[in-house]
Amino acid sequence: MGTFLVSKRKNDEFQFVLKAGNGQVILASEGYTTKAACENGIESVRKNSQVDERFDKLEAKNGKPYFNLKASNGQIIGNSEMYESVSARDNGIESVKKNAPDADVKEDL
């Protein structure tokens, strides 16, 4: 089972990462000014991760594939690491879909 880990950045912004059951980070959030906003972001990931159209499959300038997860309003709520292949990126998307809905939330503040 996956885990959302909430932490605080050096600039005092909150952020979360979604980790798969094996501990690998599969999605990272933007910075949030409040913990409540960060928690809302987690709920948005839970909901939007179940909608295929919310995943933008992209390619970085260096040619590496990655993805963003967007909310219904088009705002990016999480992004992935850079992957070595399109199939690895697609596996990352499937992992977010599988892990996000029931992931525990833990804090490292």
Side-chain angles (χ1 to χ4, degrees), residues 52-93:
D52 288 338
E53 295 76 28
R54 300 280 196 266
F55 289 92
D56 277 347
K57 297 177 180 182
L58 304 164
E59 186 176 293
K61 289 179 182 169
N62 65 4
K64 294 195 178 219
Y66 71 101
F67 65 87
N68 289 332
L69 176 61
K70 291 185 173 182
S72 56
N73 65 4
Q75 182 178 349
I76 295 172
I77 49 178
N79 53 13
S80 73
E81 65 179 0
M82 298 295 164
Y83 290 96
E84 293 300 320
S85 68
V86 169
S87 64
R89 178 202 56 208
D90 292 348
N91 287 342
I93 290 171

Side-chain angles (χ1 to χ4, degrees), residues 13-99:
E13 287 185 336
F14 293 88
Q15 82 169 98
F16 64 83
V17 295
L18 173 60
K19 292 185 174 189
N22 64 3
Q24 182 178 357
V25 174
I26 50 178
L27 191 74
S29 76
E30 307 293 315
Y32 294 93
T33 54
T34 66
K35 186 176 166 193
C38 187
E39 291 167 344
N40 287 341
I42 289 171
E43 291 310 310
S44 185
V45 168
R46 289 187 197 281
K47 181 173 66 176
N48 289 289
S49 66
Q50 303 308 296
V51 181
D52 288 338
E53 295 76 28
R54 300 280 196 266
F55 289 92
D56 277 347
K57 297 177 180 182
L58 304 164
E59 186 176 293
K61 289 179 182 169
N62 65 4
K64 294 195 178 219
Y66 71 101
F67 65 87
N68 289 332
L69 176 61
K70 291 185 173 182
S72 56
N73 65 4
Q75 182 178 349
I76 295 172
I77 49 178
N79 53 13
S80 73
E81 65 179 0
M82 298 295 164
Y83 290 96
E84 293 300 320
S85 68
V86 169
S87 64
R89 178 202 56 208
D90 292 348
N91 287 342
I93 290 171
E94 290 306 313
S95 186
V96 170
K97 289 179 184 179
K98 177 182 154 195
N99 285 283

